[in-house]
Amino acid sequence: MYYFLSHLSSTDIWYTSCVTPKLIGDLVQRKSISYRNYMSQILAMHFFGITEVFILTVMALDRCVAICRPLHYMIIMNRARCSLLIVSAWACGAAHSLSQFSVITRLPFCGPNEIDHYYCDIFPLLKVACTNTYVTGVLIVANSGMVALVTFVLLVGSYIIILFTLRNHSAEGRRKALSTCGSHITVVILFFGPSIFAYLRPPTTFPEDKIFALFYTIIAPMFNPLIYTLRNSEMKNALRKFWCQKTFLDERQN
């Protein structure tokens, strides 16, 4: 679990670093970006974003094995297999981003160069292209839709298997097993919900896109460390001790 979390945290750092510094800079100065930097941000965003999607899917499969086959867990999820799953996640992220990138780099641009978004996304770019982008939009939606469909099926399937297995457990066993999945389910909802709304639809843009994009570009990666940290009993005890000491000192000063 911690091996996968280390890769998830690394992906979160790189993922948010692709958009947050530029967003902060745009808030204090002229909002502009070169064509090369625009394309670079699209490539990086899709690479790290899809890699995070696959890492979250791998973590769901890991929880499924841990709960359904606890005695064989160390054999099934050995270090070699975990490394293979992580390498596959990074490779799938690279394949997806490169395929999207190869499609949009062929688009001509000769007219308006303003987009209604706070980071470089594909759909706003299609809107300002000087050609018919219907086929390109269909290819992009099909690519993103395939990724979303495969990962969604794996996620739902893993939790269905977990719930089916827990039928024969005691109430205490079910509570402990489901508590280990609570953090992962929270992260998946924060990340997948807005992402599905943004990419599983016809290639159009809406003013609400910026609000939903905040969840999967900034909010979800920012809360991931907090969500998983609060599952650690030692961290919870340390926080409880810190707040108790702070409350005691405040009362003593008063």
Side-chain angles (χ1 to χ4, degrees):
M1 181 180 66
Y2 292 107
Y3 177 70
F4 294 137
L5 282 175
S6 65
H7 283 272
L8 180 66
S9 61
S10 300
T11 307
D12 282 336
I13 292 172
W14 287 106
Y15 184 51
T16 54
S17 298
C18 294
V19 60
T20 306
K22 185 66 176 68
L23 174 61
I24 295 174
D26 289 341
L27 294 176
V28 297
Q29 61 184 4
R30 186 171 179 268
K31 303 174 180 63
S32 63
I33 187 171
S34 66
Y35 175 80
R36 180 178 297 179
N37 290 338
Y38 192 108
M39 292 300 176
S40 299
Q41 191 180 67
I42 287 180
L43 180 65
M45 288 288 292
H46 279 265
F47 172 56
F48 293 112
I50 295 301
T51 300
E52 179 159 347
V53 166
F54 280 105
I55 290 177
L56 289 172
T57 305
V58 168
M59 292 175 68
L61 298 177
D62 174 68
R63 292 297 85 200
C64 182
V65 175
I67 293 173
C68 300
R69 302 291 297 276
L71 299 180
H72 299 87
Y73 176 76
M74 296 303 296
I75 299 175
I76 297 174
M77 299 301 293
N78 54 54
R79 179 49 64 95
R81 186 165 286 120
C82 290
S83 300
L84 178 61
L85 290 172
I86 287 296
V87 170
S88 300
W90 287 95
C92 290
H96 170 80
S97 61
L98 289 174
S99 63
Q100 301 280 67
F101 184 75
S102 63
V103 171
I104 62 173
T105 51
R106 302 174 184 176
L107 297 175
F109 301 95
C110 55
N113 58 358
E114 294 184 359
I115 63 169
D116 184 23
H117 217 301
Y118 68 87
Y119 81 98
C120 305
D121 203 4
I122 293 180
F123 289 164
L125 187 67
L126 296 179
K127 195 173 181 180
V128 299
C130 299
T131 185
N132 187 351
T133 59
Y134 176 78
V135 176
T136 304
V138 170
L139 292 175
I140 290 173
V141 172
N143 191 341
S144 301
M146 183 179 299
V147 172
L149 180 62
V150 171
T151 54
F152 181 76
V153 169
L154 291 175
L155 283 168
V156 173
S158 63
Y159 281 109
I160 288 176
I161 295 173
I162 288 174
L163 293 175
F164 183 80
T165 304
L166 292 178
R167 294 186 310 164
N168 301 323
H169 287 63
S170 63
E172 181 66 17
R174 287 195 294 267
R175 186 189 64 80
K176 289 182 178 180
L178 292 176
S179 66
T180 63
C181 303
S183 302
H184 186 263
I185 293 174
T186 304
V187 171
V188 166
I189 292 174
L190 285 175
F191 192 87
F192 271 79
S195 300
I196 290 174
F197 173 82
Y199 291 102
L200 280 183
R201 70 178 194 210
T204 56
T205 57
F206 299 102
E208 295 80 8
D209 289 347
K210 296 186 289 294
I211 299 175
F212 284 97
L214 283 173
F215 282 90
Y216 59 83
T217 58
I218 297 176
I219 295 177
M222 180 180 66
F223 278 101
N224 280 356
L226 179 63
I227 292 172
Y228 281 104
T229 297
L230 292 179
R231 290 296 312 151
N232 188 294
S233 58
E234 294 181 359
M235 181 59 68
K236 288 192 292 186
N237 292 333
L239 289 174
R240 190 179 297 111
K241 184 179 179 180
F242 171 77
W243 285 112
C244 290
Q245 288 180 348
K246 186 176 183 301
T247 304
F248 175 76
L249 291 176
D250 291 341
E251 292 179 351
R252 187 173 182 180
Q253 290 176 356
N254 293 333

